[in-house]
Amino acid sequence: MRRTVLITGASAGIGADLAREAARHGHDLILTARRQAPMQALAEEIGSPTRVTVLVEDLADPAAPSRLAAAIAERGLVVDGLVNNAGFSRTAGFLNTDPDDHAAMVRVMLSAPVELARVFAPGMVERGYGRILNVASLAGRMPATGGDTLYGPIKSFLIKWSQGLHLELAGTGVHVTALNPGYTLTEFHDANGTREQVSTAYPAWMWQTSTHVARVGWEAVETNRPSVTPGVMNNVLAGLAKHLPDSLALRMVGGHAKRLGRV
């Protein structure tokens, strides 16, 4: 039986590689993002026998989740898996960022994942099968940094929410996992304007490929782990931040922000 996985932010990076990974495991796909052309190219690349449906949508619009659900229902599709991957950041600082951008960050990375899960999880429970993978970040396991002030707290919410939903849906056949990548080679840092800074601030061994991150994430949701952070060093950093006194932990991430020119 072929099942269908909805992936947000599927036009590039981790989202595109999660689509490839889901297809590799025999699932059909619903891809959604703001840009149609990259999703169409991805659909053609994946090819038969995977059925790929492309839906253009901007999750910064408060009406987007309901519109997306309606478009899926109109096509007679059933969502068996949900990957909440869409996201972006703004690194100019809280006071220098347009409030509309702040609102969009909250909509895309916090409100939309919650709303989409609330729409599709009941059907998963009823059918006794489901996969919900929320792409958070190593930043969600660390103290928040200055400059990119909302990003870490939003990702921290995703981790905690995923853990709670994981517990709530235990025994239903619905698996819930938070995926917490560290630095990953995608266009994410091109989009937020920090490519040059991050490329020079951190050595190559700290970076992971989106293919590897996607594979780790998919394996984790299949085995129903509540949370997974790819990379030994990323887990070491998160552990240090968790156990250091607040003053030292904040100094550590403050140095990180200065290296990136965020503060």
Side-chain angles (χ1 to χ4, degrees):
M1 176 182 178
R2 296 188 67 85
R3 301 186 185 275
T4 301
V5 178
L6 167 62
I7 302 175
T8 72
S11 58
I14 295 172
D17 276 318
L18 281 166
R20 295 182 181 100
E21 192 67 18
R24 192 171 72 86
H25 282 80
H27 301 301
D28 292 332
L29 303 171
I30 304 170
L31 308 180
T32 187
R34 293 178 302 167
R35 298 179 295 166
Q36 183 169 7
M39 292 191 291
Q40 293 286 73
L42 178 60
E44 292 173 10
E45 173 202 322
I46 291 172
S48 181
T50 305
R51 177 185 178 184
V52 182
T53 301
V54 172
L55 299 174
V56 177
E57 193 57 83
D58 183 358
L59 293 176
D61 183 343
S66 59
R67 235 179 2 243
L68 189 57
I72 291 169
E74 286 170 5
R75 288 161 175 78
L77 299 173
V78 173
V79 173
D80 301 296
L82 170 62
V83 177
N84 286 308
N85 169 75
F88 66 96
S89 73
R90 291 289 181 265
T91 61
F94 186 79
L95 300 184
N96 294 322
T97 299
D98 191 318
D100 288 342
D101 282 346
H102 284 157
M105 287 181 70
V106 173
R107 286 292 318 163
V108 171
M109 293 192 292
L110 194 158
S111 301
V114 171
E115 292 173 22
L116 290 172
R118 185 62 183 84
V119 168
F120 295 116
M124 297 179 191
V125 172
E126 184 179 344
R127 294 185 297 273
Y129 177 94
R131 301 291 184 266
I132 300 175
L133 181 62
N134 296 313
V135 181
S137 171
L138 175 63
R141 298 186 61 194
M142 307 284 284
T145 58
D148 198 1
T149 316
L150 286 185
Y151 186 81
I154 289 172
K155 294 299 189 179
S156 182
F157 168 86
L158 280 182
I159 295 170
K160 294 294 187 182
W161 169 59
S162 298
Q163 291 169 335
L165 196 58
H166 171 91
L167 292 173
E168 185 172 336
L169 299 183
T172 66
V174 181
H175 298 180
V176 183
T177 299
L179 171 60
N180 315 309
Y183 283 113
T184 307
L185 295 167
T186 70
E187 65 177 32
F188 180 87
H189 295 100
D190 298 311
N192 69 14
T194 62
R195 169 60 59 197
E196 183 178 352
Q197 295 98 313
V198 296
S199 296
T200 57
Y202 298 102
W205 57 264
M206 286 192 66
W207 292 81
Q208 297 180 317
T209 67
S210 58
T211 303
H212 172 71
V213 169
R215 188 156 296 181
V216 170
W218 198 264
E219 179 182 335
V221 76
E222 283 294 335
T223 55
N224 203 20
R225 295 177 61 181
S227 181
V228 63
T229 301
V232 173
M233 184 53 66
N234 290 331
N235 284 280
V236 170
L237 290 172
L240 280 174
K242 181 178 179 179
H243 292 101
L244 285 174
D246 285 349
S247 58
L248 290 179
L250 287 172
R251 192 179 306 168
M252 181 175 75
V253 297
H256 161 84
K258 287 180 180 178
R259 282 195 295 276
L260 300 183
R262 290 176 180 170
V263 292

